[in-house]
Amino acid sequence: MEEFFEVLSWAQLGIHNKPCGLLNVSGYYDPLIEFLDHAVSQDFVKPKHRALLIVASGYIFAGSFAFLQTLSFPGSYAPNGLIGDVYNTPAWLFVLWYTTFPLSVLTYALFKDRGKDSRGSTKANMAITLTCVFGTIALLSWLVIGEVEHLPSFFTKGLTVQTALSNQVNVGLALLGCFVLLVLFVRSRTVLDLWLMVTVFASLPNFLVAAYAGSARFSVGWYAARGFAVIASCMLLSVLLTEMTVLYSRLASSLIMQRRERANRLVSIDAATAAIAHEIRSPLGSITLNAGTALQQVLARPPQLDEMSVILKDIEDASLRISATIVGVRELFKDATDQPATVNVDDVSRQVLRLLQHELQLNEISVVTEFRDDASLVRADPAQLQQVILNLVKNAVEAMSSASTDRRRLNIGTWLKGDFVFLSVEDTGAGVNPQDEARIFEAFFTTKRTGMGLGLAICRTIVERYEGSLVLAKSDPQGSAFELALPIVPLAKAR
């Protein structure tokens, strides 16, 4: 379950508040991105989000009080129960059971759109939350078990006949559930909200039946209310498990498609590289041979310069052939992909995070974003800009592979400075070696064992094509930060 909510949790990045258009990366990517855009923008919540911690606390409250009620219920484990008095402790634990959960859901519904994450690591946040929840459970349990005589009574004349307070509490719980349901409906944004609405709605008939026909314990109405609660819970659990299974299968299929598309792209790059190497190998071999021959003739005694002009002409022709090959390849890619448009850097960055969501989760990397939204408009090819940001994020992920999991933090943010939009991608890895800082943007220079050394060089070329810049802003043992700058497009001109 923890993996389920962690994988399906990106809606609270703020994505669901302002839907963004999909980039037309390729025909293969369209179905994948549509699914991920729907799933990510509707279904999931960050594991460190305060609202999710609140609703998770509600489930812990409900489960704990339900278990304690079975221990105190007469005839369950002992004739008079194992804890509390035989009359009112079970009733009060029932009230706490069905009060704490809807109140937690109500708090979640009111705070979920504020988009604030808990500070600190995920484990620390979970530990603090669990400590507070179990402390509250212990306090309330002590109150209804050890001090129950000071509370209003549900039973005064035996174990079966209830006071009027019972019906009043059932009506109150039903009204509370209706109010929570209304707030969830008005503020509904995600599939999690939908399932919470179903859960709250499934509990309402239990209170209504109990208030109407369950005034006496162990009566037909009392059993009917309990039976309905069991049936509703089982049906809800079955449907939820089915939905989770379907969602898991769709997510797995989409991840397979994504990895296959990446593999296809790598194969295409290898094929293109092989083709380029084949085209320039022959001219380079000719240049090497002619240069060696010319050197021998120059060093001869006396120098043999009769064929020198022919040799130099051959070297010139071979160099022009190589130049023509490179220009042709560049024109080929430029004609195929260079389609500038007004795009939002924040939207493109969010799409990159969605594409890499599985990889980020697999590497246990916490993502912190600070976007400006409407103000981050630039003029660039959407697919190329996405590839630039994708390369920077993947480099950051690889840089943090050697760091401890509690230190892996990826910071992505945008800001305005002058006439430029700046995008920063910062990791908490080991940083770039000071000796390599001046060369990391050179073609075919790499610090990776399997890298080709073309990623950052191509990224800088793409950015400079749109009158921007890509630099290494910071590098130290605590991590490195790359900054991308592109000219801003005024909102009036964009419209």
Side-chain angles (χ1 to χ4, degrees):
M1 287 297 292
E2 181 179 353
E3 280 190 2
F4 175 73
F5 284 111
E6 187 172 355
V7 172
L8 313 184
S9 72
W10 290 66
Q12 304 297 25
L13 283 170
I15 298 170
H16 62 270
N17 293 330
K18 181 176 181 292
C20 56
L22 299 178
L23 292 181
N24 187 16
V25 178
S26 70
Y28 294 101
Y29 259 128
D30 287 342
L32 169 65
I33 297 180
E34 285 185 15
F35 168 70
L36 290 180
D37 185 71
H38 176 269
V40 170
S41 62
Q42 294 189 25
D43 298 4
F44 314 128
V45 185
K46 291 183 69 175
K48 290 170 61 178
H49 198 280
R50 294 175 183 174
L52 181 59
L53 294 176
I54 293 173
V55 75
S57 301
Y59 278 101
I60 298 177
F61 277 122
S64 300
F65 288 126
F67 174 71
L68 292 174
Q69 202 225 13
T70 61
L71 296 181
S72 64
F73 199 84
S76 179
Y77 294 98
N80 294 327
L82 296 178
I83 57 176
D85 74 333
V86 70
Y87 298 104
N88 295 298
T89 295
W92 275 110
L93 288 172
F94 178 86
V95 172
L96 293 176
W97 173 7
Y98 284 102
T99 301
T100 52
F101 178 74
L103 288 178
S104 299
V105 174
L106 178 62
T107 307
Y108 158 81
L110 295 176
F111 286 92
K112 67 187 181 69
D113 289 338
R114 296 193 177 185
K116 293 184 177 180
D117 296 340
S118 299
R119 297 182 179 180
S121 65
T122 302
K123 294 181 179 179
N125 293 324
M126 293 177 62
I128 294 173
T129 302
L130 290 174
T131 300
C132 295
V133 168
F134 284 114
T136 304
I137 292 173
L139 178 62
L140 294 176
S141 300
W142 169 80
L143 182 64
V144 300
I145 294 175
E147 304 294 328
V148 68
E149 65 271 10
H150 301 296
L151 300 176
S153 299
F154 289 93
F155 297 90
T156 57
K157 299 178 181 180
L159 295 175
T160 57
V161 180
Q162 303 178 15
T163 63
L165 179 63
S166 299
N167 289 339
Q168 295 171 2
V169 168
N170 282 320
V171 172
L173 291 175
L175 293 176
L176 175 62
C178 291
F179 178 71
V180 173
L181 194 62
L182 177 62
V183 174
L184 272 175
F185 178 77
V186 172
R187 301 175 62 86
S188 177
R189 297 289 187 278
T190 69
V191 171
L192 177 60
D193 298 343
L194 176 62
W195 279 107
L196 288 176
M197 290 171 59
V198 174
T199 303
V200 174
F201 178 78
S203 65
L204 293 181
N206 177 27
F207 307 129
L208 297 177
V209 172
Y212 177 75
S215 58
R217 183 183 281 175
F218 305 119
S219 64
V220 175
W222 186 87
Y223 280 113
R226 299 315 183 266
F228 179 85
V230 172
I231 295 174
S233 300
C234 292
M235 291 181 62
L236 181 62
L237 180 60
S238 301
V239 175
L240 181 58
L241 290 175
T242 303
E243 181 74 9
M244 287 175 57
T245 303
V246 173
L247 192 57
Y248 262 127
S249 63
R250 292 178 63 190
L251 184 60
S253 300
S254 298
L255 290 173
I256 292 174
M257 290 174 58
Q258 182 185 13
R259 292 173 180 174
R260 186 178 302 166
E261 178 64 18
R262 288 182 184 174
N264 292 338
R265 289 190 175 190
L266 291 175
V267 171
S268 300
I269 292 175
D270 291 339
T273 305
I276 295 171
H278 174 74
E279 290 295 329
I280 67 176
R281 184 180 292 115
S282 179
L284 286 175
S286 175
I287 291 174
T288 303
L289 180 61
N290 284 322
T293 302
L295 182 61
Q296 291 177 0
Q297 292 185 359
V298 170
L299 296 177
R301 292 291 181 268
Q304 302 175 5
L305 305 178
D306 297 340
E307 298 181 0
M308 188 61 65
S309 60
V310 177
I311 294 175
L312 294 177
K313 179 62 176 173
D314 289 343
I315 292 176
E316 180 185 15
D317 292 342
S319 300
L320 292 175
R321 285 171 57 192
I322 295 175
S323 177
T325 300
I326 296 175
V327 170
V329 172
R330 293 188 65 181
E331 290 295 327
L332 175 64
F333 284 100
K334 182 178 180 181
D335 293 340
T337 61
D338 193 5
Q339 299 176 359
T342 301
V343 294
N344 190 310
V345 177
D346 299 341
D347 291 346
V348 179
S349 301
R350 289 191 180 102
Q351 290 174 5
V352 169
L353 292 177
R354 297 172 202 166
L355 291 174
L356 296 178
Q357 133 183 354
H358 176 72
E359 192 168 342
L360 291 168
Q361 182 201 354
L362 191 64
N363 288 275
E364 300 183 57
I365 296 176
S366 174
V367 180
V368 178
T369 60
E370 295 182 7
F371 294 137
R372 295 185 58 89
D373 292 321
D374 292 341
S376 304
L377 299 178
V378 299
R379 184 76 177 172
D381 181 89
Q384 292 181 352
L385 181 59
Q386 185 188 56
Q387 289 302 315
V388 170
I389 301 176
L390 182 69
N391 186 273
L392 295 177
V393 175
K394 284 182 66 65
N395 286 347
V397 172
E398 294 174 358
M400 291 185 284
S401 60
S402 59
S404 59
T405 55
D406 58 338
R407 287 190 62 250
R408 297 177 184 177
R409 184 181 181 124
L410 177 66
N411 297 290
I412 302 180
T414 56
W415 70 92
L416 303 181
K417 185 177 181 182
D419 296 331
F420 286 84
V421 176
F422 285 82
L423 170 71
S424 174
V425 179
E426 183 177 358
D427 61 66
T428 55
V432 180
N433 192 317
Q435 298 177 351
D436 299 333
E437 291 183 8
R439 302 188 60 195
I440 58 174
F441 290 101
E442 294 181 6
F444 301 106
F445 175 80
T446 179
T447 58
K448 305 175 185 177
R449 294 181 178 179
T450 59
M452 296 176 60
L454 293 174
L456 289 176
I458 295 175
C459 289
R460 172 173 275 187
T461 301
I462 293 174
V463 173
E464 290 178 346
R465 181 181 301 169
Y466 300 107
E467 301 179 356
S469 64
L470 177 62
V471 298
L472 175 64
K474 185 201 78 169
S475 180
D476 54 42
Q478 282 70 47
S480 57
F482 287 84
E483 288 185 2
L484 182 154
L486 287 170
I488 189 173
V489 176
L491 288 176
K493 185 176 179 180
R495 294 171 183 169

